[in-house]
């Protein structure tokens, strides 16, 4: 029996919101969709928040995700920008909560680290690694890195929840040998 789950990844923003949808079948991830919501054309901040909510709801209705992975706001110098970004994240979370979808937050450094091995990686490096990992053709890559940032949140969540050693908490070498008899020769 095939085991399937769908993860919606969100990179919240007040100018551009990125998203990626990842399908995991029998523990193998594949890209379903990625894109952006352009919000810079709206002057009213509350209208932007409404559009974010509506778009997340439409993505949920279209793809029926099992989980939402979202990038947590990072600490910046501009308090107003942080407040607006936090509102955008909150609205996206409210949309998921309204459909009873569990939410998982990841710091930007955690997402970049899980994708590239470097928490300070450039957006281009993240996009390149995702393209290779998911075998995304060049013509399907978007010029806006916010789309791959949203997808990166979903892939990060996949990595965090599919660690095969996660079930096996190893406390000592003796414990490792006991839990992995086929990997150790006596």
């Amino acid at each position: 029996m095939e085991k399937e789950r769908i993860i919606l990844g969100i990179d919240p923003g007040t100018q551009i919101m990125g998203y990626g949808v990842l399908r995991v079948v029998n523990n193998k991830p594949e890209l379903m969709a990625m894109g952006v919501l352009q919000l810079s054309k709206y002057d009213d901040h509350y209208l932007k928040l409404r559009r974010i909510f509506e778009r997340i709801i439409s993505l949920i209705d279209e793809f029926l995700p099992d989980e939402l992975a979202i990038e947590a706001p990072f600490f910046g110098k501009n308090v107003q920008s942080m407040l607006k970004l936090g509102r955008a994240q909150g609205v996206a979370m409210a949309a998921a909560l309204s459909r009873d979808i569990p939410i998982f937050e990841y710091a930007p450094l955690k997402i970049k680290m899980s994708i590239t091995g470097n928490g300070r990686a450039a957006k281009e490096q993240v996009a390149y690694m995702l393209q290779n990992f998911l075998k995304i053709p060049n013509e399907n890559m978007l010029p806006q890195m916010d789309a791959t940032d949203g997808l990166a949140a979903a892939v990060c969540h996949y990595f965090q929840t599919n660690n095969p050693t996660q079930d096996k908490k190893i406390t000592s070498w003796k414990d490792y040998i006991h839990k992995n008899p086929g990997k150790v020769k006596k």
Side-chain angles (χ1 to χ4, degrees):
M1 183 167 115
E2 283 192 355
K3 187 177 168 189
E4 177 184 288
R5 72 181 174 134
I6 296 172
I7 305 167
L8 171 59
I10 300 292
D11 176 32
T14 55
Q15 298 301 312
I16 300 175
M17 180 196 81
Y19 65 87
V21 184
L22 192 68
R23 178 188 358 237
V24 182
V25 179
N26 291 329
N27 215 18
K28 291 185 173 69
E30 65 181 53
L31 173 68
M32 288 181 77
M34 71 174 157
V36 295
L37 172 61
Q38 293 283 354
L39 297 161
S40 54
K41 58 187 169 195
Y42 303 108
D43 291 331
D44 186 308
H45 179 65
Y46 300 106
L47 183 57
K48 290 179 182 187
L49 296 176
R50 178 180 177 171
R51 289 292 305 128
I52 291 168
F53 185 86
E54 291 169 347
R55 184 63 179 132
I56 299 294
I57 290 293
S58 72
L59 288 168
I60 290 169
D61 291 346
E62 181 178 354
F63 295 104
L64 305 172
D66 300 292
E67 299 155 321
L68 176 90
I70 191 164
E71 185 175 300
F74 57 92
F75 295 101
K77 293 179 182 175
N78 186 328
V79 176
Q80 276 305 109
S81 294
M82 285 298 303
L83 178 62
K84 288 179 179 178
L85 185 59
R87 287 176 176 168
Q89 183 199 32
V91 166
M93 293 166 90
L97 291 169
S98 77
R99 295 291 204 265
D100 294 319
I101 297 171
I103 299 165
F104 301 86
E105 277 186 272
Y106 296 98
L109 261 62
K110 176 79 170 180
I111 293 172
K112 289 177 179 183
M113 179 65 92
S114 74
I115 304 299
T116 68
N118 176 3
R120 303 266 183 228
K123 288 178 176 278
E124 292 80 10
Q125 289 173 294
V126 173
Y128 175 79
M129 294 298 284
L130 288 170
Q131 184 177 11
N132 285 318
F133 177 66
L134 295 170
K135 297 173 181 49
I136 304 170
N138 283 335
E139 59 271 13
N140 292 2
M141 294 298 289
L142 300 175
Q144 302 95 339
M145 297 290 162
D146 304 87
T148 47
D149 285 351
L151 181 60
V155 172
C156 173
H157 182 64
Y158 162 75
F159 286 148
Q160 296 305 306
T161 56
N162 285 298
N163 184 349
T165 59
Q166 195 172 8
D167 302 338
K168 299 180 181 181
K169 298 278 187 236
I170 307 297
T171 57
S172 67
W173 276 109
K174 185 177 180 181
D175 189 31
Y176 177 83
I177 293 166
H178 176 73
K179 290 179 179 172
N180 298 281
K183 293 185 179 180
V184 180
K185 292 184 181 180
K186 293 183 181 180

